[in-house]
Amino acid sequence: MHAEDAERGNGAGGSTLLSEAREADRTRPYAEGDPILEVRGLVKHYPLTRGILFKKQVGAVRAVDGVDFDLAAGETLGIVGESGCGKSTVAKMLVHLEPPTGGVIRYKGEDVTKLSGRALKAVRRNIQMVFQDPYTSLNPRMTVGDIIGEPYEIHPEVAPKGNRRQKVQDLLDVVGLNPEYINRYPHQFSGGQRQRIGIARGLALNPEIIVADEPVSALDVSVQAQVVNLLDRLQAEFSLSFLFIAHDLSIVRHISDRVGVMYLGRIVEIGTDEQIYDHPTHPYTQALLSAVPVPDPTAREHRERIILHGDVPSPANIPSGCRFRTRCWKAQERCELEVPLLAVPAVFRGAETPARHDSACHFAEEKTVVPKEGPAGTPEPQDAPPSRPSTPPEGEAGGKE
């Protein structure tokens, strides 16, 4: 029985039946590939007000403006995009650190945006977060043992008091830290070690979903690789689902099964890692990929560099129609009048090609940004670059930090 069926119950018995049905839905096992988290039309607007005593709303910052995606059991979904596009706001809404303005977040079929009290507390136990900054996300006045063990104070049913110290030491060992460090303070650890402590805290309640908000952006390259490999191992060991947010496209490709590209509060393209990286169809995705450093000197010389003009528009004043049109070299009158839907473009429907994936563009077309190597090790010939009117004006690249 599902929770929605139990809602037909009447009186106190109906309330008890509803609680039991919700618990059964949360605890039933989900096979790998089943959608464990469904997000539909997620919106977060921050009001802009005027006045001191009598405040009047004069507008809104549309930080997230209609985001849709699914997260399957055992899957890693990567989210990439420029700073300010709404990635971290989405992450905070998923763990209910920010209440959404609108939309639906379904965890195992139940809309968590309508929950409160004990029901919300039970769901939050299964959706944990690893924060971006390993320095400010740990309380400097608490020992590592207290930091990792704090979730047990909120959810005592997970670990009885007598077993908590041992559980904390086991978690330290799982993330590659010496269990004897349990009485040390955060300032005694390096950045990479602090992030491992944050990961251990996220694992404390045995969650099913971990939202990782740029967990490696504050770390150097060698430590980034260690943390990403740790997350990979933990996913296989604990059957976790990850929402992985980052700026570094190479790291996202390494860890993700699917990738979503965000721009100005919306996902503009989503697909498997192969579809997004090797067969991008949205102009913004193509611009981002063209800004990624390429280690192969030969491929670097032959790739086409896409330059975007201007800056990202203000989320308080979003352009009409397609929100990317002010920086897009393909923009036409239709882009100003119609909002493109996130769906498979008409030109690819019915075709068996990796370019057949969701892309919010009226004029989507596949483009190889970095040339593939031919049989003799030389880059394959590419189409001639577009004429000057089709080339974006000079400016900054799409993938800026």
Side-chain angles (χ1 to χ4, degrees):
M1 177 183 291
H2 291 283
E4 52 265 35
D5 300 325
E7 287 178 353
R8 300 189 184 97
N10 297 317
S15 176
T16 304
L17 186 62
L18 176 59
S19 299
E20 292 175 352
R22 280 176 171 167
E23 184 62 25
D25 267 358
R26 293 191 198 104
T27 56
R28 74 180 179 89
Y30 267 58
E32 187 169 336
D34 290 348
I36 191 172
L37 189 71
E38 301 168 84
V39 175
R40 296 290 180 270
L42 191 62
V43 174
K44 180 61 181 180
H45 292 174
Y46 296 95
L48 296 174
T49 59
R50 181 179 296 168
I52 300 175
L53 294 178
F54 302 99
K55 292 186 177 180
K56 178 182 178 182
Q57 183 172 341
V58 294
V61 175
R62 295 153 68 179
V64 177
D65 203 27
V67 166
D68 302 317
F69 64 83
D70 292 337
L71 179 65
E75 179 189 42
T76 298
L77 174 63
I79 301 292
V80 298
E82 291 173 292
S83 296
C85 69
K87 305 185 300 297
S88 295
T89 306
V90 169
K92 291 175 182 177
M93 286 191 284
L94 294 182
V95 296
H96 218 75
L97 290 178
E98 288 275 5
T101 305
V104 174
I105 303 172
R106 293 192 188 95
Y107 168 69
K108 291 188 173 181
E110 185 175 22
D111 185 3
V112 301
T113 63
K114 297 179 180 178
L115 300 181
S116 60
R118 291 183 179 179
L120 178 60
K121 181 181 176 181
V123 169
R124 295 178 90 176
R125 169 186 163 181
N126 290 314
I127 306 177
Q128 292 293 299
M129 189 166 181
V130 177
F131 295 92
Q132 176 178 355
D133 191 346
Y135 297 91
T136 60
S137 61
L138 303 179
N139 190 333
R141 297 175 180 269
M142 297 174 67
T143 65
V144 167
D146 292 336
I147 290 171
I148 299 176
E150 190 174 21
Y152 299 139
E153 298 291 337
I154 303 170
H155 298 272
E157 70 278 4
V158 178
K161 281 193 174 182
N163 296 338
R164 290 179 188 176
R165 182 179 179 85
Q166 183 59 48
K167 275 188 169 288
V168 170
Q169 289 180 319
D170 291 343
L171 285 169
L172 286 172
D173 186 52
V174 164
V175 298
L177 293 176
N178 191 331
E180 296 180 1
Y181 293 168
I182 190 170
N183 292 320
R184 293 190 178 184
Y185 288 86
H187 73 270
Q188 297 175 283
F189 295 90
S190 67
Q193 290 174 322
R194 293 187 194 194
Q195 197 61 288
R196 288 172 186 263
I197 294 169
I199 294 171
R201 178 176 58 186
L203 292 172
L205 299 177
N206 303 316
E208 294 179 297
I209 300 171
I210 286 187
V211 180
D213 182 17
E214 302 191 41
V216 296
S217 63
L219 309 176
D220 61 57
V221 176
S222 61
V223 179
Q224 283 183 3
Q226 295 171 11
V227 172
V228 168
N229 291 335
L230 171 65
L231 294 175
D232 251 344
R233 178 174 63 81
L234 294 176
Q235 182 177 37
E237 187 174 341
F238 296 99
S239 301
L240 298 168
S241 300
F242 276 109
L243 182 74
F244 190 89
I245 296 172
H247 284 286
D248 193 323
L249 294 171
S250 59
I251 288 180
V252 171
R253 182 171 195 179
H254 173 78
I255 197 173
S256 301
D257 301 303
R258 292 189 303 129
V259 179
V261 182
M262 280 193 72
Y263 182 81
L264 209 58
R266 284 190 181 173
I267 292 179
V268 296
E269 188 169 5
I270 190 169
T272 65
D273 60 338
E274 178 190 359
Q275 290 171 337
I276 297 298
Y277 285 82
D278 297 335
H279 307 274
T281 61
H282 196 282
Y284 178 62
T285 306
Q286 295 164 0
L288 280 181
L289 292 173
S290 78
V292 176
V294 178
D296 183 358
T298 306
R300 185 166 61 239
E301 290 175 2
H302 288 82
R303 72 169 176 172
E304 180 186 346
R305 186 73 168 83
I306 301 175
I307 306 297
L308 298 180
H309 68 283
D311 295 320
V312 181
S314 168
N317 185 25
I318 292 178
S320 62
C322 175
R323 52 193 64 203
F324 183 60
R325 66 176 176 82
T326 58
R327 306 173 74 192
C328 182
W329 63 97
K330 294 182 180 179
Q332 299 182 23
E333 184 179 0
R334 180 185 179 188
C335 302
E336 184 178 355
L337 301 176
E338 298 179 25
V339 177
L341 300 177
L342 183 62
V344 176
V347 67
F348 299 120
R349 292 173 193 164
E352 293 299 327
T353 169
R356 185 185 175 187
H357 58 271
D358 291 350
S359 180
C361 180
H362 295 307
F363 306 103
E365 62 177 349
E366 185 179 354
K367 185 181 186 67
T368 303
V369 180
V370 179
K372 300 179 182 178
E373 289 191 355
T378 57
E380 295 178 354
Q382 301 293 306
D383 297 333
S387 59
R388 182 61 184 172
S390 300
T391 306
E394 293 183 358
E396 288 299 319
K400 69 180 182 181
E401 187 72 19

